[in-house]
Amino acid sequence: MRISGLVVGAFLIAALGACENKGLRTLQGQGDGPDEFIVTPVKPLATPESLTQLPPPTPGSRNLVDLQPRNDAAAALGGRGSASGTIPGSDAALVAHAARRGVAPAIREELAAEDAKFRKRKARLTQIRIVPVDRYNEAYRREALDPALVAEQYRARGVATPSSPPRNTGFRQ
């Protein structure tokens, strides 16, 4: 009798421990080692041609060797970045076409609020887990696209599509 009570108690403790809400993705280190995301690479230092013709230092301005992810991404995609944050003239037509139906100024905040509501609605009965589960794919399963199915739909309409790998029958559920 006493052993069965201990087993039931241990099970209840384990079940309650599984109710912790850790969010959709648990992004925490799995050990005591260093955190590789703390290190930020910088561009190599460069010596100017003339040390006498350097501009005066400007407090609060960016360092020339600091990374500029937006500009680097634009350059990697074939565009030109802008240090001032304005759109280069060569990209003005692209931006105008993308914004032809209007631009919502607070789109990020609106999408974040809608996504929080969606995840809260999906999480009503999914908090009880015996083992850790990555719930991201589970919550967004209905929004996922099957690339093979989309390619088939485009081909059926006569749209030229690049070749794709054979259809994976286990993708759709």
Side-chain angles (χ1 to χ4, degrees):
M1 184 74 163
R2 195 167 226 212
I3 293 176
S4 64
L6 288 174
V7 170
V8 170
F11 178 76
L12 287 175
I13 290 172
L16 288 175
C19 292
E20 179 184 5
N21 183 4
K22 293 184 180 181
L24 287 177
R25 296 265 170 144
T26 304
L27 300 175
Q28 61 188 5
Q30 299 295 328
D32 295 332
D35 186 0
E36 63 271 13
F37 294 109
I38 291 177
V39 179
T40 305
V42 294
K43 297 176 184 175
L45 293 175
T47 305
E49 294 178 15
S50 172
L51 295 175
T52 59
Q53 298 194 4
L54 288 174
T58 310
S61 67
R62 69 172 192 83
N63 190 343
L64 295 177
V65 295
D66 287 343
L67 293 180
Q68 299 175 350
R70 289 180 187 226
N71 293 347
D72 295 343
L77 295 172
R80 277 178 257 152
S82 171
S84 64
T86 60
I87 300 165
S90 60
D91 294 338
L94 174 66
V95 172
H97 181 72
R100 67 189 179 278
R101 295 192 177 111
V103 177
I107 188 69
R108 292 181 188 268
E109 293 80 12
E110 291 173 18
L111 290 177
E114 289 176 15
D115 189 53
K117 278 195 267 184
F118 172 78
R119 285 186 283 123
K120 186 174 182 179
R121 190 174 64 245
K122 288 287 186 179
R124 287 187 180 142
L125 300 174
T126 59
Q127 296 299 318
I128 301 172
R129 297 284 183 194
I130 302 297
V131 295
V133 176
D134 183 7
R135 293 189 44 247
Y136 183 86
N137 292 331
E138 186 178 310
Y140 293 100
R141 179 179 294 139
R142 294 188 68 195
E143 282 76 24
L145 292 176
D146 180 355
L149 179 64
V150 172
E152 288 174 15
Q153 290 171 344
Y154 275 100
R155 288 181 188 135
R157 293 184 183 128
V159 177
T161 58
S163 64
S164 57
R167 183 175 182 87
N168 182 358
T169 57
F171 182 79
R172 292 188 54 88
Q173 296 178 357

